[in-house]
């Protein structure tokens, strides 16, 4: 019993952390999670069931136009992430969060007003022109808010916690075995809390939706709850302005450099949250010029393998929900399971597979990252195979009986595999960015790597919108009896298999590249430092990722990729 109590106490100590600054930010994360799962992930259902719902039974549901609209908005959001990351790098994340969340809230208010108006007018096919303008205006504001979360909110929460960790959790001098063990426990505690800072409120926000979704079904009510939740958390975020530390941490871990004190005046508090010219992070943050050029080429080669992943992700956010609307819903008593439960299933499976990977592969390395990405891309192909087979089975059942009696529980495998793809491939891409730099640059590389991943996803989503327009009169016609969505899925499967072949060639190159023996680390100033001296620095709390500078006859990954094609 005592061991169990001690284990629970240690877990709470390692994962539970509260402070005024981080709690104010985490409240905003919680509300974003709720809005993401309740509104954003199923926005296509709002368009087809509310904005462009049919008047006559024989009218088309205009799913093509809705899919194009959603993909365009998602593509714009992905591109805006990189734009906002540049702005965050210049003015700081606090200003970006404050402005983008105001836009986010305004977008929800416009959707709420539009939903009330449509409810009064009983809707119309393709909607009135003014209603469409309001929707697209709200959609752009929501896209800006989504981009602001990716570019600023996670970074700001990370900065605030690590600033407090640097101030409250000083690493002891290592002179004995007991002190070394205490130092390792302190490092693990900081890293565990840092991971839980985001995951805990994000999970709670999604979990809060589960019971409310069964009670609050109409769109106006759902939007009203989302507006209230985001407004309360936004005010809470502003209430912590005097508790926030400056957003630029002591990245060099120099004990002589201290965080800027919290100011008492509102104007000075805002200024302290913006990086100074001396401490503002640079886009050229961890590599010397020669290594930087090679690094960018390698990232480009790897990102090309994720264009197909973005196609699968865009299909999952649009046509998967078309299948949800066509299949018979599963009821619990008199309560019908809402469609966005499938979006929650995707998020849950993404979290579980990421957690299990870290549990089963405790020693993360560059090679394990390549395997992780490969497994994610395989899951993307299996996801489309599952959707393809469900669509074939649905078409066969439709020919026998026009009333489709299939349960939407058939869609659980493809949504689960879609989450596995995100948890392995998308997270693996961020790890790939970070693995190729030293410990000083890992945190920045992960931030900019996630932004680059969003950019690739955005570009691929826009290409998906173009493909929908191209196949609108052949494979993707809206009529249930004549559309060939199964052939569209099959085409994505073949493209995914070809993409796996490309990734295999790239992964083999990067895998063999790890055999280089002469390795050095690149410091921010461009100097070279040996592996031994780098690891002896007690302020570095992560494993060192080494970058080889030894000249070899092997061509760069960019040229290697050119040979393949």
């Amino acid at each position: 019993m005592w061991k169990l109590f001690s284990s629970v106490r240690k877990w709470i100590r390692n994962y539970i952390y509260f402070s005024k600054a981080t709690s104010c930010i985490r409240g905003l994360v919680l509300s974003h999670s709720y809005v993401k799962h309740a509104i954003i992930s199923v926005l296509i259902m709002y368009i087809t069931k509310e904005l462009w719902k049919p008047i006559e039974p024989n009218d088309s549901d205009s799913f093509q136009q809705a899919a194009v609209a959603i993909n365009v908005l998602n593509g714009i959001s992905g591109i805006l992430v990189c734009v906002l990351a540049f702005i965050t790098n210049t003015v700081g994340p606090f200003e970006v969060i404050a402005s983008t969340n105001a836009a986010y809230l305004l977008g929800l208010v416009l959707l709420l007003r539009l939903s009330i108006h449509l409810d009064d007018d009983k809707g119309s096919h393709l909607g009135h022109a003014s209603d469409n303008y309001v929707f697209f205006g709200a959609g752009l504001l929501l896209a800006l808010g989504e981009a602001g979360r990716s570019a600023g909110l996670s970074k700001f929460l990370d900065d605030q916690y690590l600033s407090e960790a640097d101030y409250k959790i000083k690493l002891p001098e290592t002179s004995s075995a007991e002190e070394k063990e205490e130092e390792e426990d302190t490092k693990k505690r900081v890293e565990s809390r840092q991971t839980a800072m985001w995951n805990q409120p994000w999970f709670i926000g999604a979990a809060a939706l589960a019971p409310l979704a069964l009670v609050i079904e109409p769109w106006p009510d759902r939007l009203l709850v989302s507006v209230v939740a985001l407004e309360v958390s936004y005010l809470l975020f502003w209430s912590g302005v005097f508790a926030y530390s400056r957003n630029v941490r002591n990245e060099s871990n120099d004990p002589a450099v201290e965080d800027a004190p919290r100011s008492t005046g509102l104007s000075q508090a805002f200024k302290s949250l913006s990086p100074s010219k001396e401490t503002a992070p640079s886009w050229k943050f961890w590599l010397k010029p020669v290594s930087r050029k090679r690094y960018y080429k390698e990232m480009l080669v790897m990102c090309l393998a994720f264009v197909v992943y973005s196609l699968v992700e865009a299909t999952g956010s649009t046509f998967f929900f078309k299948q949800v609307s066509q299949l018979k819903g599963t009821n619990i008593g008199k309560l019908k399971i809402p469609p966005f439960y499938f979006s929650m299933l995707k998020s849950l499976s993404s979290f579980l597979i990421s957690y299990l990977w870290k549990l089963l592969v405790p020693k993360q390395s560059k090679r394990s990252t390549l395997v992780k990405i490969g497994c994610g891309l395989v899951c993307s192909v299996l996801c489309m195979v599952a959707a393809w087979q469900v669509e074939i089975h649905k078409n066969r059942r439709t020919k026998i009986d026009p009333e489709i009696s299939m349960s939407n529980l058939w869609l659980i495998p493809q949504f689960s595999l879609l989450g596995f793809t995100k948890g392995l491939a998308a997270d693996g891409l961020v790890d790939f960015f970070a693995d190729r730099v030293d410990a000083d640059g890992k945190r920045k590389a992960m931030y900019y790597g996630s932004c680059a991943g969003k950019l690739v996803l955005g570009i691929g989503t826009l290409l998906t919108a173009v493909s929908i327009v191209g196949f609108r009169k052949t494979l993707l016609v809206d009529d249930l009896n004549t559309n060939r969505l199964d052939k569209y899925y099959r085409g994505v499967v073949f493209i995914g298999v070809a993409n796996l072949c490309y990734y295999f060639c790239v992964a083999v190159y990067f895998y063999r590249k790890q055999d280089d023996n002469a390795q050095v680390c690149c410091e921010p100033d461009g100097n070279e430092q040996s592996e031994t001296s780098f690891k002896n620095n007690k302020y570095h709390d992560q494993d060192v990722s080494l970058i080889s500078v030894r000249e070899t006859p092997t061509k760069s990954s960019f040229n290697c990729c050119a040979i393949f094609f």
Side-chain angles (χ1 to χ4, degrees), residues 306-315 456-461 464:
F306 280 78
V307 175
V308 177
Y309 160 72
S310 64
L311 175 61
V312 175
E313 184 73 22
T315 304
V456 174
L457 182 61
I459 295 174
T461 304
T464 304

Side-chain angles (χ1 to χ4, degrees), residues 130-143:
S130 59
D131 295 339
N132 293 335
Y133 292 148
V134 172
F135 168 76
F136 285 113
L140 290 175
L141 292 174
L142 293 176

Side-chain angles (χ1 to χ4, degrees), residues 36-140:
K36 173 68 174 180
H37 291 92
I39 306 297
I40 305 301
S41 62
V42 291
L43 196 58
I44 191 169
M45 305 297 290
Y46 173 82
I47 301 176
T48 56
K49 301 299 182 182
E50 297 290 327
L51 182 61
W52 295 342
K53 64 181 179 181
I55 299 177
E56 300 296 335
N58 295 329
D59 286 344
S60 168
D61 61 359
S62 304
F63 213 97
Q64 288 180 6
Q65 295 92 323
V68 171
I70 293 299
N71 284 325
V72 168
L73 291 176
N74 289 339
I76 292 174
S77 178
I79 295 174
L80 283 176
V81 170
C82 284
V83 176
L84 292 178
F86 176 79
I87 298 175
T88 300
N89 181 72
T90 305
V91 304
F94 178 82
E95 290 81 354
V96 171
I97 298 171
S99 57
T100 56
N101 273 273
Y104 207 44
L105 183 59
L106 179 59
L108 288 177
V109 171
L110 289 177
L111 273 187
L112 175 60
R113 179 67 184 89
L114 179 59
S115 183
I116 296 174
H117 171 68
L118 293 174
D119 191 54
D120 294 337
D121 289 348
K122 304 301 180 182
S124 62
H125 182 70
L126 293 183
H128 298 294
S130 59
D131 295 339
N132 293 335
Y133 292 148
V134 172
F135 168 76
F136 285 113
L140 290 175

Side-chain angles (χ1 to χ4, degrees), residues 13 26 92 126 154 264 277 309 381 390 439 477 482 494 537 548 553:
R13 185 184 180 189
R26 296 172 84 189
L126 293 183
S154 59
T264 56
K277 294 182 180 180
Y309 160 72
V381 176
V390 169
V477 292
T482 59
F494 291 155
N537 189 342
S548 172

Side-chain angles (χ1 to χ4, degrees), residues 243-261:
Y244 299 143
S245 301
R246 68 174 182 176
N247 63 348
V248 179
R249 290 179 60 244
N250 178 13
E251 297 284 352
S252 63
N253 292 302
D254 186 356
V257 180
E258 297 294 337
D259 285 333

Side-chain angles (χ1 to χ4, degrees), residues 58-321:
N58 295 329
D59 286 344
S60 168
D61 61 359
S62 304
F63 213 97
Q64 288 180 6
Q65 295 92 323
V68 171
I70 293 299
N71 284 325
V72 168
L73 291 176
N74 289 339
I76 292 174
S77 178
I79 295 174
L80 283 176
V81 170
C82 284
V83 176
L84 292 178
F86 176 79
I87 298 175
T88 300
N89 181 72
T90 305
V91 304
F94 178 82
E95 290 81 354
V96 171
I97 298 171
S99 57
T100 56
N101 273 273
Y104 207 44
L105 183 59
L106 179 59
L108 288 177
V109 171
L110 289 177
L111 273 187
L112 175 60
R113 179 67 184 89
L114 179 59
S115 183
I116 296 174
H117 171 68
L118 293 174
D119 191 54
D120 294 337
D121 289 348
K122 304 301 180 182
S124 62
H125 182 70
L126 293 183
H128 298 294
S130 59
D131 295 339
N132 293 335
Y133 292 148
V134 172
F135 168 76
F136 285 113
L140 290 175
L141 292 174
L142 293 176
L144 180 61
E146 288 284 303
R149 179 180 67 244
S150 300
L153 189 56
S154 59
K155 175 177 173 57
F156 191 55
L157 177 60
D158 209 30
D159 285 340
Q160 292 301 315
Y161 167 67
L162 293 178
S163 293
E164 293 177 348
D166 288 344
Y167 179 74
K168 296 180 181 179
I169 308 177
K170 296 295 184 180
L171 300 180
E173 295 292 336
T174 56
S175 58
S176 64
E178 294 181 357
E179 290 179 342
K180 289 183 179 180
E181 184 177 357
E182 178 64 23
E183 179 182 358
E184 292 298 324
D185 291 341
T186 302
K187 293 176 183 178
K188 292 180 180 179
R189 188 183 313 127
V190 171
E191 294 173 359
S192 300
R193 288 177 177 177
Q194 182 182 357
T195 303
M197 279 287 110
W198 182 275
N199 290 337
Q200 289 174 355
W202 190 261
F203 175 79
I204 294 173
L209 176 63
L212 290 176
L214 297 175
V215 181
I216 306 174
E217 185 176 356
W219 275 96
D221 297 341
R222 198 186 308 170
L223 285 166
L224 179 61
V225 173
S226 300
V227 168
V228 172
L230 186 61
E231 184 176 5
V232 171
S233 62
Y234 188 50
L235 293 176
L236 178 65
F237 172 77
W238 276 96
S239 68
V241 65
F242 294 111
Y244 299 143
S245 301
R246 68 174 182 176
N247 63 348
V248 179
R249 290 179 60 244
N250 178 13
E251 297 284 352
S252 63
N253 292 302
D254 186 356
V257 180
E258 297 294 337
D259 285 333
R262 298 182 176 90
S263 304
T264 56
L266 184 61
S267 176
Q268 293 298 321
F270 289 154
K271 290 182 180 179
S272 67
L273 292 172
S274 300
S276 62
K277 294 182 180 180
E278 293 77 14
T279 60
S282 171
W283 285 91
K284 303 174 182 180
F285 36 82
W286 65 79
L287 299 170
K288 59 184 183 178
V290 176
S291 298
R292 188 184 308 130
K293 184 178 180 180
R294 182 182 62 189
Y295 179 86
Y296 292 154
K297 289 181 178 180
E298 292 177 348
M299 295 306 104
L300 175 62
V301 170
M302 181 59 70
C303 286
L304 289 176
F306 280 78
V307 175
V308 177
Y309 160 72
S310 64
L311 175 61
V312 175
E313 184 73 22
T315 304
S317 63
T318 52
F319 290 106
F320 281 13
F321 285 99

Side-chain angles (χ1 to χ4, degrees), residues 394-413:
K394 185 202 72 175
N395 291 339
R396 291 174 180 173
R397 297 283 291 269
T398 304
K399 292 179 180 179
I400 299 174
D401 183 7
E403 295 293 332
I404 301 176
S405 59
M406 288 177 59
S407 170
N408 53 22
L409 295 181
W410 282 75
L411 304 177
I412 289 179

